[in-house]
Amino acid sequence: MQAVKITEHGDRDVIEYGEYPDPEIDRDEVLVDIKAAALNHLDIWTRRGMPGIDLEMPHIPGSDGAGVVEEVGEDVTRFEEGDHVAVSAGVGDLRMDDPTLDPRFHIIGEHVTGVHSEYAAVPEDNLIPVPEHVDWEVAGSASLVFQTAWRMLIERAELKAGESVLVLGASGGVGHAALQIADYAGAEVYATGSSEEKLEYAEEHGADHVCNYEEEDFADWVLSETGGRGVDVVVEHVGAPTWQDSLKSLTKGGRLVTCGGTGGGNPETDIPRIFWNQLEIIGSTMATPDQVDDVLELVWDGTFEPAIREVLPMSETARAHEIIENREGFGKVVVRPDSEL
């Protein structure tokens, strides 16, 4: 088969698209004919290399994808040939109440072989049924960011109707999902972006107040907009460049919920502000199967809408990385096997 491959850690020139051995499925796995897949910031970090993760090279990346069931293993009971499915990339012990807390929890595409290829062998437990009316670009791009944002806001931050939320980078992957989820939950939504186009998108998808962080300090803007109070919840996924202002944006007793640090993972922090204002710092990773089902049902029925900024052939995956790294446009970058185009 043809697959996206990382031959070593490095810049975009380590990405190749070419022949790779066809996957063989285990008893509990499903062979998926991939129709569309999508990139996340996770793919950038996987390509560059992350401490503590030793990948066998060449490595197929990709944590988002969707396609048609081609074959099922002997122990598979939920799917059959011809079913439409999407990948949910978090792998944990399903006997636990919260599999994301499994010490061996890992992510397809980050720690093990991903799905940016013509075919992928995926554990049955990591597949979600997709209604046939759902476009492949939507099915292949929604899972990771919408489950991440749903768990962050609904489960971890326990967002309530009437509360206020600041969503950083509201036109990015997690950001644009969090924007829609916060609006759905009945929150007053504050959103940041770096261009008028991105801010217009945010307003069209649930933002009540918008700020161009390239032109003004977003923490000062939040405090001005809220009469000095601050917001109840900050959705933080940038890290070092925004961390101090994210804390400053919170009201007393506020919650900062984070799922990543795309701009830097080791920020300076303001401990006196945290204890004096009794702030909560909440980590969140992926979602449980039930949470995934809950949010993706709302994607499939059109309540939530993944924004697709560009669709490219998998042979142009290096360009897809460039788009994300340069923050071009808004929403998800989708890649499709060249044979599908």
Side-chain angles (χ1 to χ4, degrees):
M1 68 173 180
Q2 299 290 301
V4 178
K5 298 178 287 187
I6 297 171
T7 56
E8 59 181 319
H9 294 302
D11 208 340
R12 293 187 292 269
D13 59 1
V14 304
I15 302 170
E16 298 180 359
Y17 185 68
E19 290 189 359
Y20 194 89
D22 292 338
E24 296 182 3
I25 58 173
D26 288 334
R27 297 175 63 94
D28 63 344
E29 290 184 326
V30 174
L31 183 65
V32 181
D33 179 359
I34 298 293
K35 300 299 183 182
L39 278 81
N40 299 282
H41 271 283
L42 185 58
D43 295 292
I44 308 299
W45 298 119
T46 300
R47 187 200 79 218
R48 293 175 181 173
M50 291 186 286
I53 300 179
D54 185 19
L55 293 175
E56 182 180 344
M57 297 292 179
H59 172 71
I60 297 176
S63 304
D64 265 331
V68 178
V69 172
E70 182 86 2
E71 182 184 349
V72 299
E74 297 175 36
D75 295 339
V76 172
T77 59
R78 294 173 52 232
F79 301 103
E80 59 184 28
E81 184 179 341
D83 286 348
H84 289 202
V85 293
V87 175
S88 179
V91 182
D93 186 347
L94 296 184
R95 295 170 297 182
M96 298 177 62
D97 290 338
D98 188 342
T100 68
L101 299 179
D102 181 357
R104 295 165 297 182
F105 184 80
H106 59 278
I107 296 175
I108 292 170
E110 179 183 9
H111 302 92
V112 296
T113 300
V115 297
H116 287 179
S117 52
E118 289 183 313
Y119 294 92
V122 182
E124 176 185 24
D125 292 334
N126 290 96
L127 291 173
I128 309 298
V130 177
E132 292 195 5
H133 73 270
V134 177
D135 291 342
W136 287 123
E137 286 85 357
V138 170
S141 65
S143 176
L144 190 142
V145 294
F146 275 92
Q147 69 174 276
T148 296
W150 182 268
R151 179 175 171 87
M152 289 176 78
L153 284 169
I154 305 302
E155 304 294 336
R156 300 291 286 142
E158 298 182 327
L159 179 65
K160 303 292 190 298
E163 290 190 308
S164 53
V165 179
L166 170 63
V167 179
L168 301 184
S171 63
V174 169
H176 91 292
L179 182 74
Q180 296 177 60
I181 292 166
D183 179 56
Y184 174 81
E188 185 171 5
V189 184
Y190 298 76
T192 71
S194 60
S195 70
E196 289 308 309
E197 181 186 21
K198 293 177 179 179
L199 295 179
E200 287 176 10
Y201 170 84
E203 289 180 310
E204 291 170 0
H205 290 80
D208 301 295
H209 315 270
V210 295
C211 169
N212 187 328
Y213 63 80
E214 298 283 6
E215 298 179 354
E216 59 183 316
D217 181 280
F218 73 80
D220 291 341
W221 169 77
V222 166
L223 293 174
S224 175
E225 290 287 316
T226 60
R229 178 185 182 274
V231 295
D232 296 296
V233 176
V234 172
V235 175
E236 168 65 74
H237 50 89
V238 181
T242 56
W243 189 261
Q244 294 280 42
D245 279 344
S246 291
L247 294 175
K248 184 179 175 182
S249 299
L250 285 167
T251 189
K252 282 205 167 191
R255 293 100 74 196
L256 183 154
V257 59
T258 177
C259 67
T262 57
N266 292 290
E268 292 186 9
T269 198
D270 188 344
I271 293 176
R273 183 184 297 276
I274 293 171
F275 72 70
W276 187 253
N277 288 345
Q278 301 184 65
L279 306 179
E280 295 181 54
I281 311 298
I282 305 168
S284 188
T285 295
M286 302 297 281
T288 67
D290 286 346
Q291 293 160 10
V292 173
D293 288 342
D294 288 345
V295 70
L296 289 186
E297 283 298 324
L298 294 169
V299 175
W300 307 153
D301 72 10
T303 301
F304 299 145
E305 178 187 359
I308 310 298
R309 69 176 99 176
E310 194 151 356
V311 180
L312 297 170
M314 283 189 180
S315 59
E316 296 182 22
T317 293
R319 169 60 183 149
H321 279 238
E322 182 181 30
I323 291 170
I324 294 174
E325 289 179 292
N326 292 343
R327 296 186 298 143
E328 301 176 29
F330 50 85
K332 299 299 295 287
V333 181
V334 172
V335 291
R336 302 193 67 177
D338 288 40
S339 57
E340 292 291 332
L341 298 173

